[in-house]
Amino acid sequence: MNLEGRKIIVNKSSKDLSELLKSPENYKEFMPDGLQKFETREDGFKFGLQGMPEIALKIDEVTHEKAVLKSASSSLDFTLTATLKPLNETQTEVQMLFEGKFNPFIKMMVEKPLQNFINSLTDKIEAYK
């Protein structure tokens, strides 16, 4: 299952964005409304949203071109990638990409909430100052 967020322009360099995305505590700024729990770990974070199970993510790779988060649970196999495309010294195009391996039943249950989550993350990143 693949989902895409819309492409946005962020008024930060890809270098500044990648530095921001290396640190687990910074992800709290981008969480959707309805956040009920957020805890950082050495290599990632765990969060809970209203009406959804808690999700643990580990920061797998951060470069000036992308930030890759992977599921920290062996029962869920997915990655969430933020692509970073520098436009100039102070602007970067960002797009959230989700790739997960789910059976058809799970896919049917999670597809809409995941798309809403990606859309909300995109909105929060776009509004970030």
Side-chain angles (χ1 to χ4, degrees):
M1 176 172 81
N2 296 326
L3 300 172
E4 292 184 2
R6 63 188 172 85
K7 291 180 180 179
I8 57 170
I9 307 295
V10 178
N11 291 319
K12 289 197 176 299
S13 70
S14 63
K15 181 180 184 232
D16 289 347
L17 272 176
S18 62
E19 285 303 312
L20 183 76
L21 296 173
K22 284 180 183 175
S23 187
E25 55 271 1
N26 291 335
Y27 285 85
K28 187 173 186 178
E29 299 289 326
F30 305 128
M31 288 291 119
D33 298 333
L35 182 68
Q36 294 187 315
K37 178 180 186 172
F38 188 91
E39 23 177 275
T40 60
R41 300 172 170 185
E42 185 179 322
D43 64 345
F45 56 94
K46 183 178 189 178
F47 68 96
L49 297 172
Q50 192 171 340
M52 285 181 65
E54 287 183 7
I55 298 172
L57 295 171
K58 67 179 188 144
I59 300 171
D60 187 58
E61 175 188 6
V62 179
T63 68
H64 295 307
E65 293 87 37
K66 65 183 174 181
V68 180
L69 304 176
K70 288 193 173 185
S71 170
S73 167
S74 59
S75 62
L76 292 174
D77 183 10
F78 69 85
T79 59
L80 181 61
T81 302
T83 61
L84 310 176
K85 181 180 171 188
L87 299 176
N88 56 46
E89 291 293 314
T90 59
Q91 291 186 314
T92 305
E93 181 183 89
V94 178
Q95 184 177 27
M96 303 298 298
L97 305 171
F98 177 90
E99 185 177 330
K101 295 181 179 82
F102 302 120
N103 69 44
F105 178 72
I106 298 292
K107 178 185 176 196
M108 186 177 68
M109 288 182 13
V110 302
E111 191 166 15
K112 186 172 182 181
L114 277 172
Q115 186 67 59
N116 291 339
F117 175 68
I118 289 166
N119 294 343
S120 182
L121 278 179
T122 300
D123 292 345
K124 294 278 186 161
I125 292 168
E126 187 175 36
Y128 187 76
K129 302 289 180 218

